[in-house]
Every structure is written in C-alpha cells, then in structure tokens.
Amino acid sequence: MQTTTVSPQDAPPDAGPPAGARPGRRSRRATRRAVSGWAYALPTAAVVALLFLTPLVLVVWMSLHHWPLLGNPTFNAPQNYSELAQNNLLMSAVWFTLRYTVIMTVVLFAVSLGLALLVQNPRPGVGLLRTAYFLPAAVGFATASLLFLGFLSSAVGPVNPILQHLGLISAPVDWISGSPGGALGSIVTLVTWRFAGFNMIILLTGLQAIPVELYEAARVDGANRLQCLRRITLPLLRPTIALVLIMMITGSLLAFDQFYILTKGGPDDSTTSVVMVIVREAFVRFDLGSAAALSVLALVVLLILNVLQLSILRRRNDS
Amino acid sequence: MSTRRTDRRPRTYRSRRAAGKLGYYTTATALAILFLFPLLWSGWASVRTSNGFGLANYRNMVHYGDGIGTYLMNSVEVTALTVAGTLTVSLLGGYAFGRFRFPGKNALFLATLAILMVPYPTILIPLYVLLGWLGLQNSLLGLAAVLVMFQLPFATFLMRNAFEAVPQEFEDSAAVDGCGTFATLSRVMIHAVRPAVVTVGLFAFLAAWNEFFAALILLNSSDKFTLPLAVVAMEGRTFGSIDYPTLQAGVVFMAIPCLMLFLVLQRSYVRGFMAGALRS
C-alpha cells in the first residue's frame, strides 16, 4: 500500500513530442525542456547544496579541529573523538537515551495500536473519538511540553489532587523533578499524549488497506477476534508497523525538546539525552569541535540504523 | 456480524451485543476525556486567577520581557518566510521533477530526500557556524532558511507526486494556447496541484510556528526570540518559582492557531501524514 502512490500511475509526464517530429527538432526541444527543468530545480539545488550538503561536510571538518565558540579553530584530530570516550556525562546520556528509546517505543506503540484498533471500524461517533485522540498532535511539541510542565507540577497541576482524592497517593508527589523514575514517567506520559494520535492515524491508514473480505472469511471459519488480530491484522499491518516503529525509535534517539523544557536533564542528570550533551558541549562548554565530533558519531550510528531499518522494511514489503 | 444470524439465542446475543456496545463507548469515551483533559485544563488554568476568573494571566503574558508583541512578530516573520520559501522552492522543484527530464534529475531528487536520512540535530552545529559566515547568525531570515531546508524533502516529494498526477492534456492544451513553461505552471498547473500547496503550506506553517530546537540554537538575543523560546524563557525567569498561570496563558496563545488550523484543514492534515508515511 505504501509503494503504489509513489510510482507514477499516469503516462510518463515528460514524454517526448508527438511521433513524426523530425529528430533534429526533437532533440532541440528536449534540450530546451532540459534547460527549463534545471532552471526550475535550481532553487532546490541551491538550498540542498548550501544548507544541507555543506553543513554535512563542515561537521566532519569541524570535528577534526579545536573549534571554540569565539576565536580561531586549530587542527587537533583526533582529540575531539578520543575525549568523548572520557566524557562521563556522555556515557550516562547514551545509556539513558537507549533505555528511554526502548521504554518510549514500547509504550507509545502499544497505546497507538490500541487506539487505532479501537477506532478502526466505522460506527456512530467514531469520527469524534478519532479527533479527540488526535487533537494533542495538533499542538506544537514545545507547547505541549510547557503545558505538561504545569499539568504535572505539584504547584498547580490537577494530577496530585485527583490521585489523592482517589486514594492512590497519600501526599503530593513532585513528578517532574522529584526522582529519576518520576521524571522519566513524566516524559513518557507527555510524549505518549502528544504522539499517540499521530501514530494512530498512520496505523489506521494501514488498517484500512486490509480487505474486509479477509475478516469475513475468517469469521465464517469461526475465528474469534483475537485470532483475527493475530492471523490477519498484525501480519498484514507489518509494513505500517515497521514504519511507525522506525519513526518512534529515531525520534526517541534524537529527543531533546521534552528534556530541555520539562526536566532540564535532571534530577541529577538522570534524564540527559545524547542531543542534550551535544548542545552542552557547544553552548555551555563552548567547544564546537567536540560537539561536532559527537554529531558525527550520532550521524553515523543513525544512518546505519536507518539503512538497516529501511532494508528490513523493504524486505517485509516485498514478501 | 451477519454470519451470526443463525444464533439460536437471539435475545441473549442481542443483549450481549448491547453490553459490548456500552463497554466500547465507555472505554472509548473515557480515553477521549483522558486525551482532551490536559488541553481543557490548560485553558481553564490560564483564566484562573487568585480572585476567581479573568484575563490577568494573559495581561502578565503580554507584558513579559520585551512584550509579547515582539515575540509574536518574530514568530510571524519566521513563519511567513518559511511558508513562502518552502512553497516557492518546492513548487518550482516539484514542477521540474514531475514534468521535465534533465541530466542529474534523479541525483538531485535523491539528495533532497536524503535530508530525511540525516537527523537534523546533528547538522545544527555546522549550520550555526555556516550562518555566521553568511552574516545570518541570530537572524530570523537565517532560521527561516534552515527551516525551509528541513521542510524540503516532504514538500518536494508531495509536489512532485502532485505534478506527476496532472494529465498530459493540461500541458498540451496550454502549449496550444501559446503558454510557455512558466505560464503553464502559473496559469494551469498551479490549480491542479492546489491540494498539495495547501498541505505543504500547512506543514511549513506548523513547523515554523512550533520550532524550538533550531530556534534555540540559531537565535541568541532575546529580541529575536520566537514565541516558544520566549515562553520557555518565561519558565526560567525566576528559578524555583515558575509563574504557572502566566505560562499556561502562553501555552494557550501558542496552541490556538494550531488547533484552529487543524479544525479547518483536517483533510490536509491527514493527507500530509499519509505522504509523510509514504516517504519511507
């Protein structure tokens, strides 16, 4: 279902001139079209070359230099890289980011799939339910993080009073900065709230591509709901599942906003992510070279991961 | 469910179905309330003051720092530049990729899509240096240029597909009417790709309006701050005692344009996510 719309369904749009035109005219016209094509693609080429390819080369170049925020860079390779190995905060950030990625992906995926299955079938009111689950995704992520700063706070947030009223806690809890576990839980709650509806929509499009006849046939054969889910839905949904998992994993590995805004990496650096360390190297320790070296490593790791995931995705798509 | 019509105990079956329906709607509605609750709470908290309800928190927010007007104008400027830039570049690029054949076309298209493969936090440090060389450090134009670049793979992909789907007859009849390629684009094609234009514009708007990380790195004086940066700075103003009500007023202020756009352009939203999902 993912590949059909990508490939052009119509006749090739840049088909040549009508048959019968003389070859000379044909090639002259083709040349003119090629020049026009390049002219229209020029802004894209300029942006890609200047703002994407140049920084890609520059980040490698910077990583080989002592590059202070102010002052002249000097060549010092491979010191930036070797120093990263001794960076204790980085080591704990890598460990935390990996743990966070596993927890976040599992929770977010379970909730997103649950919501998608819940609103899969058309029934009265299902449109309203979808909208309700999706609405948090319409709010900016930084805005959502700020919202949760108040929502989960022990000062004005409604969470503590409600839990106390229900008798689940006896005294107000400082969820965000009270303990490492509470901080992580706050972040996981925030991200799930903000992104579950978004992933639900993508899973829904995958669910809707599954032919209804399959379910009908299964029901005739006496299959119950759980069997339908295991034997039909999950196998056929695999490409979409792989896709949302890729987006969740990459997103979690690069997480920054939620930590910077909600927990500030605390308490005691327990929620400091890898990207937070990059920013700290650059703008707190004023060492752009070291930040660049860390960026290069993150880039390489994520590229490998992306290629791996894409090849898995493609294989599943083909089979 | 039609296959169950042979059920011998239609009554029990019907009541079981009713119970299932009740269970479904109870669960689904409880979840909906859970998802809507933080949004509703934020709106409520933003109008709650020490003596009841009122707009005092909004008044505090308006007078925060350099005045919310400055930050609002910065956000509007970055957003307008990003939307205009993304639309211009992707419209022309999509036309080129969708309807022309030229050497290097596939390589350039792949290079554009490759932006997605490179996690953007890893190239913000060199972009910071690069914008400094270009004299665009701490400038809204520089931030907008970077945001255009981040939007480009999605926008170009969507535009190219839209242009490819336009029947050849449109182009042919425009050529018969004496239109050059640009007149064909501006008079004929642009109407055919309007849904893609709306989707690209919507996503560029949301990205620019809500961007936090790139703005944090690339803008460093508070008079250049966009709304998210200003509201986050509001948080840290007096350490240890965050002015939560004012903060929630800021949250509502930033969220309202996004929520309104969502309600008006729901269809474009879904189209955008589908395209986003298709890109891999």
Side-chain angles (χ1 to χ4, degrees), chain B residues 140-161:
Chain B
L140 301 173
L141 181 65
L143 173 60
V146 168
L147 292 177
V148 169
M149 186 270 293
F150 288 142
Q151 284 300 301
L152 216 50
F154 164 74
T156 307
F157 179 78
L158 208 68
M159 286 289 187
R160 184 199 69 154
N161 282 5

Side-chain angles (χ1 to χ4, degrees), chain A residues 48-114:
Chain A
V48 170
L50 182 67
L51 294 172
F52 175 60
L53 297 178
T54 309
L56 215 50
V57 176
L58 184 58
V59 73
V60 178
W61 179 248
M62 286 176 72
S63 75
L64 305 175
H65 289 73
H66 171 65
W67 200 298
L69 194 59
L70 302 167
N72 292 323
T74 46
F75 188 80
N76 76 340
Q79 205 182 316
N80 290 329
Y81 288 95
S82 53
E83 273 174 8
L84 288 181
Q86 286 137 36
N87 189 329
N88 287 329
L89 182 63
L90 174 64
M91 291 308 136
S92 76
V94 168
W95 176 230
F96 169 71
T97 307
L98 292 176
R99 247 178 34 215
Y100 167 76
T101 300
V102 172
I103 297 171
M104 195 67 251
T105 306
V106 170
V107 173
L108 185 56
F109 178 73
V111 175
S112 308
L113 184 65

Side-chain angles (χ1 to χ4, degrees), chain B:
Chain B
M1 287 292 158
S2 55
T3 49
R4 294 272 194 102
R5 222 172 267 160
T6 47
D7 200 306
R8 283 218 186 132
R9 289 167 300 170
R11 264 223 152 129
T12 334
Y13 174 58
R14 211 176 298 151
S15 66
R16 208 192 300 153
R17 266 198 78 178
K21 214 171 173 182
L22 186 72
Y24 172 83
Y25 280 108
T26 314
T27 317
T29 312
L31 277 168
I33 291 169
L34 217 55
F35 272 84
L36 291 178
F37 183 51
L39 285 176
L40 296 172
W41 173 81
S42 185
W44 180 76
S46 75
V47 293
R48 202 172 60 146
T49 60
S50 49
N51 43 5
F53 293 91
L55 295 178
N57 299 325
Y58 287 88
R59 239 171 275 134
N60 287 342
M61 180 200 70
V62 166
H63 296 299
Y64 167 75
D66 297 355
I68 205 83
T70 311
Y71 308 126
L72 176 63
M73 283 322 292
N74 290 342
S75 267
V76 169
E77 191 178 330
V78 169
T79 306
L81 286 170
T82 306
V83 171
T86 307
L87 280 177
T88 309
V89 177
S90 70
L91 201 65
L92 296 174
Y95 186 40
F97 292 122
R99 312 228 48 120
F100 291 82
R101 187 177 288 167
F102 53 92
K105 171 173 145 173
N106 289 335
L108 181 57
F109 188 64
L110 282 178
T112 312
L113 291 191
I115 296 175
L116 286 174
M117 297 286 284
V118 172
Y120 84 93
T122 61
I123 55 169
L124 272 173
I125 301 294
L127 274 168
Y128 172 83
V129 170
L130 187 68
L131 290 182
W133 291 344
L134 296 171
L136 289 174
Q137 213 169 57
N138 191 30
S139 92
L140 301 173
L141 181 65
L143 173 60
V146 168
L147 292 177
V148 169
M149 186 270 293
F150 288 142
Q151 284 300 301
L152 216 50
F154 164 74
T156 307
F157 179 78
L158 208 68
M159 286 289 187
R160 184 199 69 154
N161 282 5
F163 275 107
E164 269 184 355
V166 179
Q168 181 65 29
E169 289 79 48
F170 278 52
E171 211 171 337
D172 292 342
S173 60
V176 169
D177 290 344
C179 287
T181 55
F182 189 74
T184 307
L185 171 65
S186 60
R187 292 194 199 150
V188 181
M189 291 291 200
I190 199 153
H191 300 292
V193 298
R194 198 182 290 159
V197 171
V198 174
T199 304
V200 167
L202 171 69
F203 278 76
F205 175 93
L206 293 174
W209 183 259
N210 291 319
E211 180 58 47
F212 177 72
F213 190 32
L216 181 76
I217 302 286
L218 301 176
L219 304 173
N220 41 44
S221 66
S222 67
D223 63 314
K224 291 282 165 53
F225 277 7
T226 53
L227 281 172
L229 286 185
V231 179
V232 168
M234 205 184 279
E235 171 203 338
R237 184 167 47 156
T238 44
F239 187 69
S241 62
I242 305 170
D243 182 358
Y244 289 105
T246 308
L247 205 61
Q248 290 310 318
V251 165
V252 173
F253 188 69
M254 289 191 291
I256 277 182
C258 302
L259 292 173
M260 277 179 10
L261 268 180
F262 166 72
L263 293 175
V264 176
L265 296 174
Q266 279 199 44
R267 208 167 276 182
S268 305
Y269 255 90
V270 175
R271 198 182 310 125
F273 288 137
M274 305 256 294
L278 295 176
R279 71 198 177 189
S280 309

